mmCIF file of all heavy atoms in Angstrom:
data_model
loop_
_atom_site.group_PDB
_atom_site.id
_atom_site.type_symbol
_atom_site.label_atom_id
_atom_site.label_comp_id
_atom_site.label_asym_id
_atom_site.label_seq_id
_atom_site.Cartn_x
_atom_site.Cartn_y
_atom_site.Cartn_z
ATOM 1 N N GLY Z 240 -11.197 8.910 -7.178
ATOM 2 C CA GLY Z 240 -10.698 8.477 -5.863
ATOM 3 C C GLY Z 240 -10.642 6.958 -5.767
ATOM 4 O O GLY Z 240 -9.675 6.393 -5.236
ATOM 5 N N GLY Z 241 -11.662 6.292 -6.271
ATOM 6 C CA GLY Z 241 -11.668 4.828 -6.279
ATOM 7 C C GLY Z 241 -10.568 4.297 -7.198
ATOM 8 O O GLY Z 241 -9.842 3.362 -6.846
ATOM 9 N N PHE Z 242 -10.432 4.923 -8.342
ATOM 10 C CA PHE Z 242 -9.427 4.506 -9.342
ATOM 11 C C PHE Z 242 -8.009 4.662 -8.781
ATOM 12 O O PHE Z 242 -7.244 3.702 -8.697
ATOM 13 C CB PHE Z 242 -9.616 5.360 -10.611
ATOM 14 C CG PHE Z 242 -8.677 5.036 -11.730
ATOM 15 C CD1 PHE Z 242 -9.026 4.099 -12.701
ATOM 16 C CD2 PHE Z 242 -7.437 5.667 -11.840
ATOM 17 C CE1 PHE Z 242 -8.158 3.795 -13.753
ATOM 18 C CE2 PHE Z 242 -6.558 5.365 -12.876
ATOM 19 C CZ PHE Z 242 -6.921 4.434 -13.839
ATOM 20 N N MET Z 243 -7.679 5.873 -8.343
ATOM 21 C CA MET Z 243 -6.315 6.128 -7.857
ATOM 22 C C MET Z 243 -6.074 5.461 -6.506
ATOM 23 O O MET Z 243 -4.952 5.051 -6.205
ATOM 24 C CB MET Z 243 -6.070 7.631 -7.746
ATOM 25 C CG MET Z 243 -5.851 8.317 -9.073
ATOM 26 S SD MET Z 243 -4.371 7.733 -9.934
ATOM 27 C CE MET Z 243 -3.065 8.579 -9.020
ATOM 28 N N GLY Z 244 -7.125 5.392 -5.690
ATOM 29 C CA GLY Z 244 -6.988 4.730 -4.389
ATOM 30 C C GLY Z 244 -6.592 3.275 -4.581
ATOM 31 O O GLY Z 244 -5.714 2.750 -3.881
ATOM 32 N N TYR Z 245 -7.217 2.620 -5.557
ATOM 33 C CA TYR Z 245 -6.892 1.209 -5.802
ATOM 34 C C TYR Z 245 -5.469 1.060 -6.361
ATOM 35 O O TYR Z 245 -4.722 0.176 -5.938
ATOM 36 C CB TYR Z 245 -7.915 0.592 -6.758
ATOM 37 C CG TYR Z 245 -7.639 -0.869 -7.010
ATOM 38 C CD1 TYR Z 245 -7.852 -1.820 -6.001
ATOM 39 C CD2 TYR Z 245 -7.126 -1.304 -8.216
ATOM 40 C CE1 TYR Z 245 -7.563 -3.154 -6.202
ATOM 41 C CE2 TYR Z 245 -6.840 -2.644 -8.431
ATOM 42 C CZ TYR Z 245 -7.057 -3.573 -7.418
ATOM 43 O OH TYR Z 245 -6.762 -4.888 -7.623
ATOM 44 N N VAL Z 246 -5.092 1.946 -7.301
ATOM 45 C CA VAL Z 246 -3.741 1.886 -7.883
ATOM 46 C C VAL Z 246 -2.691 2.057 -6.773
ATOM 47 O O VAL Z 246 -1.712 1.308 -6.700
ATOM 48 C CB VAL Z 246 -3.578 2.978 -8.978
ATOM 49 C CG1 VAL Z 246 -2.121 3.133 -9.388
ATOM 50 C CG2 VAL Z 246 -4.454 2.651 -10.192
ATOM 51 N N ALA Z 247 -2.918 3.036 -5.885
ATOM 52 C CA ALA Z 247 -1.952 3.281 -4.802
ATOM 53 C C ALA Z 247 -1.950 2.118 -3.809
ATOM 54 O O ALA Z 247 -0.899 1.716 -3.308
ATOM 55 C CB ALA Z 247 -2.275 4.595 -4.102
ATOM 56 N N PHE Z 248 -3.127 1.571 -3.539
ATOM 57 C CA PHE Z 248 -3.234 0.426 -2.629
ATOM 58 C C PHE Z 248 -2.441 -0.761 -3.175
ATOM 59 O O PHE Z 248 -1.670 -1.391 -2.461
ATOM 60 C CB PHE Z 248 -4.705 0.046 -2.442
ATOM 61 C CG PHE Z 248 -4.916 -1.300 -1.820
ATOM 62 C CD1 PHE Z 248 -4.552 -1.534 -0.502
ATOM 63 C CD2 PHE Z 248 -5.465 -2.346 -2.559
ATOM 64 C CE1 PHE Z 248 -4.733 -2.788 0.074
ATOM 65 C CE2 PHE Z 248 -5.644 -3.598 -1.986
ATOM 66 C CZ PHE Z 248 -5.277 -3.819 -0.667
ATOM 67 N N ARG Z 249 -2.584 -1.034 -4.468
ATOM 68 C CA ARG Z 249 -1.844 -2.154 -5.076
ATOM 69 C C ARG Z 249 -0.391 -1.774 -5.345
ATOM 70 O O ARG Z 249 0.450 -2.660 -5.532
ATOM 71 C CB ARG Z 249 -2.495 -2.578 -6.400
ATOM 72 C CG ARG Z 249 -3.881 -3.199 -6.269
ATOM 73 C CD ARG Z 249 -3.880 -4.465 -5.419
ATOM 74 N NE ARG Z 249 -2.919 -5.454 -5.867
ATOM 75 C CZ ARG Z 249 -3.176 -6.446 -6.698
ATOM 76 N NH1 ARG Z 249 -4.385 -6.606 -7.154
ATOM 77 N NH2 ARG Z 249 -2.238 -7.292 -7.076
ATOM 78 N N ASP Z 250 -0.122 -0.464 -5.406
ATOM 79 C CA ASP Z 250 1.205 0.043 -5.728
ATOM 80 C C ASP Z 250 1.700 -0.543 -7.055
ATOM 81 O O ASP Z 250 2.839 -0.975 -7.175
ATOM 82 C CB ASP Z 250 2.182 -0.264 -4.573
ATOM 83 C CG ASP Z 250 3.453 0.581 -4.662
ATOM 84 O OD1 ASP Z 250 3.511 1.476 -5.523
ATOM 85 O OD2 ASP Z 250 4.396 0.325 -3.875
ATOM 86 N N ARG Z 251 0.775 -0.567 -8.018
ATOM 87 C CA ARG Z 251 1.095 -1.098 -9.355
ATOM 88 C C ARG Z 251 0.366 -0.266 -10.401
ATOM 89 O O ARG Z 251 -0.720 0.250 -10.145
ATOM 90 C CB ARG Z 251 0.583 -2.540 -9.492
ATOM 91 C CG ARG Z 251 1.226 -3.517 -8.533
ATOM 92 C CD ARG Z 251 0.569 -4.854 -8.715
ATOM 93 N NE ARG Z 251 0.875 -5.371 -10.033
ATOM 94 C CZ ARG Z 251 1.301 -6.583 -10.274
ATOM 95 N NH1 ARG Z 251 1.468 -7.416 -9.282
ATOM 96 N NH2 ARG Z 251 1.556 -6.980 -11.490
ATOM 97 N N THR Z 252 0.971 -0.198 -11.601
ATOM 98 C CA THR Z 252 0.339 0.607 -12.657
ATOM 99 C C THR Z 252 0.194 -0.191 -13.955
ATOM 100 O O THR Z 252 0.041 0.386 -15.022
ATOM 101 C CB THR Z 252 1.171 1.883 -12.938
ATOM 102 O OG1 THR Z 252 2.475 1.478 -13.351
ATOM 103 C CG2 THR Z 252 1.281 2.769 -11.720
ATOM 104 N N ASP Z 253 0.234 -1.532 -13.843
ATOM 105 C CA ASP Z 253 0.109 -2.356 -15.050
ATOM 106 C C ASP Z 253 -1.346 -2.337 -15.563
ATOM 107 O O ASP Z 253 -2.267 -1.896 -14.861
ATOM 108 C CB ASP Z 253 0.547 -3.793 -14.744
ATOM 109 C CG ASP Z 253 -0.266 -4.368 -13.612
ATOM 110 O OD1 ASP Z 253 -0.017 -3.995 -12.442
ATOM 111 O OD2 ASP Z 253 -1.198 -5.140 -13.891
#
Side-chain angles (χ1 to χ4, degrees):
F242 181 91
M243 285 297 283
Y245 181 71
V246 168
F248 165 67
R249 293 300 306 267
D250 197 7
R251 297 176 66 132
T252 60
D253 57 284

